[in-house]
């Protein structure tokens, strides 16, 4: 599970945030190139289209207005509603408070106390309701009368929101459980000229989707047994997106390349799931596309998809530079790849980068692990850090309904998964975009209590929003792992202010102190940027001092590089590249010392380890992780131990891994 290139299949997904996994260490991160700052400045400011999302500080961040307002409403087909009917407003308000604090879930509460006999046994399920002004929803009048429907849909069409509305039946708490968006209407299409083979003959089959569905059309030749590859670059969010795209492709009958015995077989579809936070992200996409574009120019029927953050960033501009690409899609459409491929199958080039509500998956992801799984809880980010491209590529924050998250985790546990990692670009912001607002600490407790779940992790926390209540929730939830990933980005208050981080070094240290007080053995990992515009040597030394004060278990380090559509890219006080490199080397040396120091305390201890995979370098060994996230290698049979919690006595401590001897099964197993 814990791999940055998680798939042997080939997808290039675009990731965007400074949320690198805590297990990716500085030596694996890309170092700043020796390209001049002036050249980087030009790359960051000239060719990239303006963002589809609002990026100015103080601009609108309410997804209800951005996504469903104006023409966006035309793309919304229907919403799936649930409700609970109460005799009094007082009881409805009290119940809303219980739902807000996650003390109960909507389905259970509806089944227990709703006055609606028609929906009570179905957990309050009303079903799909058209949002069109011309729709005939009269059949719902006896369940959710028209006046109540108008109030609910006039207030929100955002999944997870709960709206109170009054009718002659009583007081309704109505939850928007999901949305149906016409993604094909949101995308732009351009008819592609028919491809020709090496002999100059037009290729008769139209694209991969027709073959995948084995459609019968007279005079059209379809290719069967289609193969795809996906390569994922970037953060955990991208890995999770790729898993969802793989689920979509397999639902269409397209097989993954890693299941094919003949490795000389050419793939029919390639997904490039891209990341845009590093230098030369756009150029790397074109390099990856190269071999597949060459095949297409020679007349072969290969479908090329660019997904993720670079796709969202570049949009139509990517097609102008790489006309062989068939589909450009932002991360918000990861679970709607199948819908978009319909237009590709009809001979079109498709660009899907418009803002959209995130719909729940209709197909199951193809997980990269059978032991540990990623679960998205919030998409997007409302922050406006001056260096960060995330708001322009992943959009505004959209929290998933608690019930959907719990349902997904429950299903994973039933399939044998032992560990779940909750994902969010800014996970502490979970629920602040909902009606009514929710708390991430409440979600932690709720998910952590799912029967059968053994371990619960989460990333990434933001010091500005991380509440002390989250630390308390981890301390009080037995399944929660002792691992916090909290990026300070800098140790200088002046630089933090210039970055627009919204917190100080003192606030960050207050969080660390609370963790050390309540959970003394917990691991704390981080992200730090050096060479931010205007950073002086004194300010850099403050970052080193912060590292010494905290002693992180590991830090993902990076030298600042200008990114498109970010304010800092336009500043004229860029730090010289040689200075960045010098500072990066210094901070990496400190990081190595601290990582080794933190792991050294494990020697002689017996730790509970969740076995994940074989040690690829030593086949008779297995690899697992402690609750702290430390990798542990020890002798064992992976076929017997995969997914097991075992006790391991730690014999040797290295900088980024431990070695030990299994001494028995863990009590929790």
């Amino acid at each position: 599970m814990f791999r940055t290139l998680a798939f042997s299949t080939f997808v290039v997904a675009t990731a965007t945030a400074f949320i690198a996994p805590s297990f990716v260490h500085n030596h694996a991160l890309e170092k700043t190139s020796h390209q001049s700052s002036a050249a980087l400045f030009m790359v960051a400011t000239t060719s990239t289209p303006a963002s589809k999302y609002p990026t100015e500080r103080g601009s609108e961040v309410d997804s209800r207005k951005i996504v469903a307002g104006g023409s966006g409403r035309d793309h919304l087909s229907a919403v799936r509603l649930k409700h609970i009917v109460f005799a009094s407003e007082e009881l409805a308000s009290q119940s809303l408070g219980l739902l807000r604090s996650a003390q109960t879930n909507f389905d259970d509460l509806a089944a227990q106390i709703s006055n609606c006999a028609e929906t009570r046994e179905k957990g309050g399920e009303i079903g799909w309701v058209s949002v069109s002004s011309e729709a005939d929803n009269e059949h719902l009048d006896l369940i959710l009368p028209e006046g109540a429907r108008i109030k609910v849909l006039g207030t929100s069409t955002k999944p997870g929101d709960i709206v109170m509305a009054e009718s002659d039946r009583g007081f309704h708490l109505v939850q928007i459980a999901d949305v149906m968006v016409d993604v094909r209407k949101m995308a732009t299409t351009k008819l592609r000229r028919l491809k020709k083979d090496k002999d100059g003959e037009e290729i008769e089959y139209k694209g991969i989707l027709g073959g995948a569905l084995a459609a019968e059309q007279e005079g059209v030749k379809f290719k069967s047994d289609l193969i795809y590859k996906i390569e994922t670059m970037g953060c955990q969010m991208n890995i999770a997106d790729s898993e969802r795209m793989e689920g979509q492709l397999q639902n269409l009958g397209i097989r993954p390349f890693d299941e094919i015995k003949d490795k000389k077989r050419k793939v029919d579809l390639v997904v490039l799931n891209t990341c845009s936070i590093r230098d030369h992200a756009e150029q790397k996409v074109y390099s990856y596309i190269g071999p597949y574009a060459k095949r297409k120019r020679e007349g072969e029927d290969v479908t090329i998809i660019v997904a993720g953050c670079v796709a969202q960033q570049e949009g139509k501009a990517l097609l102008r530079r790489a006309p062989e690409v068939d589909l450009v899609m932002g991360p918000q459409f990861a679970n709607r790849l199948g819908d978009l491929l319909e237009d590709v199958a009809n001979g079109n080039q498709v660009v899907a980068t418009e803002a959209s509500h995130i719909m729940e998956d209709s197909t199951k992801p193809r997980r990269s692990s059978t032991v540990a799984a990623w679960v998205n809880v919030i998409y997007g980010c409302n922050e406006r850090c001056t260096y960060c491209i995330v708001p322009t590529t992943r959009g505004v924050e959209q929290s998933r309904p608690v019930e959907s998250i719990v349902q997904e985790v429950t299903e994973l546990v039933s399939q044998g998964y032992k560990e779940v990692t909750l994902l969010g670009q800014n996970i502490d912001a979970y629920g602040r975009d909902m009606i009514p607002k929710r708390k991430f600490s409440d979600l932690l407790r709720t998910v952590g209590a799912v029967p059968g779940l053994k371990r619960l992790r989460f990333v990434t926390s933001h010091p500005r929003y991380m509440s002390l209540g989250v630390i308390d929730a981890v301390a009080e939830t037995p399944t929660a792992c002792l691992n916090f990933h909290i990026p300070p980005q800098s140790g200088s208050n002046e630089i933090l202010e210039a970055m627009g981080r919204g917190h100080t070094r003192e606030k960050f240290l207050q969080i660390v102190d609370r963790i050390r007080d309540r959970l003394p053995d917990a691991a704390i990992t981080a992200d730090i940027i050096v060479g931010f515009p205007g950073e002086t040597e004194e300010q850099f030394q403050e970052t080193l001092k912060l590292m010494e004060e905290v002693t992180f278990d590991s830090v993902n380090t990076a030298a600042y590089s200008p990114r498109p559509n970010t304010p800092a890219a336009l500043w004229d006080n860029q730090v010289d590249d040689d200075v960045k490199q010098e500072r990066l080397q210094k901070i990496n040396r400190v990081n190595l010392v601290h990582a080794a120091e933190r792991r050294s305390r494990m020697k002689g201890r017996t730790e509970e380890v969740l076995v994940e995979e074989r040690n690829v370098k030593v086949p008779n060994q297995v690899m697992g992780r402690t609750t702290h996230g430390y990798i542990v290698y020890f002798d064992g049979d992976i076929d017997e131990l995969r997914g097991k919690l075992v006790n391991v006595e730690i014999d040797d401590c290295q900088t980024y891994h431990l070695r030990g001897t299994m001494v028995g099964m863990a009590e929790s197993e």
Side-chain angles (χ1 to χ4, degrees), residues 377-420:
V377 301
I378 181 172
Y379 301 93
C381 182
N382 287 354
E383 296 306 295
R384 295 293 181 264
C385 299
T386 56
Y387 58 85
C388 187
I389 196 173
V390 168
T392 73
T393 56
R394 286 195 173 266
V396 294
E397 291 167 0
Q398 296 189 60
S399 300
R400 289 180 66 195
V402 175
E403 292 78 9
S404 298
I405 297 167
V406 171
Q407 180 181 359
E408 183 174 353
V409 173
T410 301
E411 290 178 357
L412 287 168
V413 171
S414 71
Q415 296 166 17
Y417 285 86
K418 298 294 181 69
E419 177 179 296
V420 162

Side-chain angles (χ1 to χ4, degrees), residues 440-585:
F440 178 60
S441 55
D442 292 332
L443 179 69
L444 266 181
R445 289 186 169 91
T446 300
V447 176
V450 170
L453 182 66
K454 300 298 183 181
R455 285 187 172 181
L456 179 64
R457 301 183 189 274
F458 60 93
V459 287
T460 292
S461 295
H462 193 303
R464 180 179 183 180
Y465 296 102
M466 185 174 183
S467 70
L468 301 183
V470 170
I471 301 168
D472 293 339
V474 172
E476 296 161 10
T477 304
T479 53
C481 291
L482 302 181
N483 188 191
F484 296 86
H485 186 69
I486 320 169
Q489 302 298 6
S490 174
S492 163
N493 282 338
E494 291 86 356
I495 294 298
L496 288 172
E497 183 177 1
M499 287 179 167
R501 292 287 290 169
H503 68 88
T504 62
R505 65 176 288 134
E506 290 76 20
K507 170 66 183 298
F508 183 82
L509 290 173
Q510 180 186 15
I511 295 170
V512 171
D513 288 343
R514 182 58 170 254
I515 294 172
R516 298 295 192 218
D517 177 58
R518 293 227 56 187
L519 300 162
D521 200 40
I524 302 176
T525 58
D527 303 333
I528 289 178
I529 302 170
V530 298
F532 185 78
E535 183 186 62
T536 65
E537 180 61 26
E538 181 181 0
Q539 290 165 340
F540 170 66
Q541 290 298 324
E542 290 176 0
T543 296
L544 290 178
K545 183 179 178 182
L546 179 72
M547 293 181 68
E548 294 292 348
E549 289 182 58
V550 177
T551 313
F552 293 103
D553 292 76
S554 65
V555 179
N556 302 311
T557 63
Y560 169 78
S561 62
R563 305 309 303 138
N565 293 319
T566 61
L570 305 177
W571 297 348
D572 58 7
N573 57 345
Q574 305 292 319
V575 176
D576 290 342
D577 290 337
D578 56 351
V579 175
K580 292 180 185 177
Q581 286 298 313
E582 181 183 358
R583 291 176 182 174
L584 188 62
Q585 291 172 9

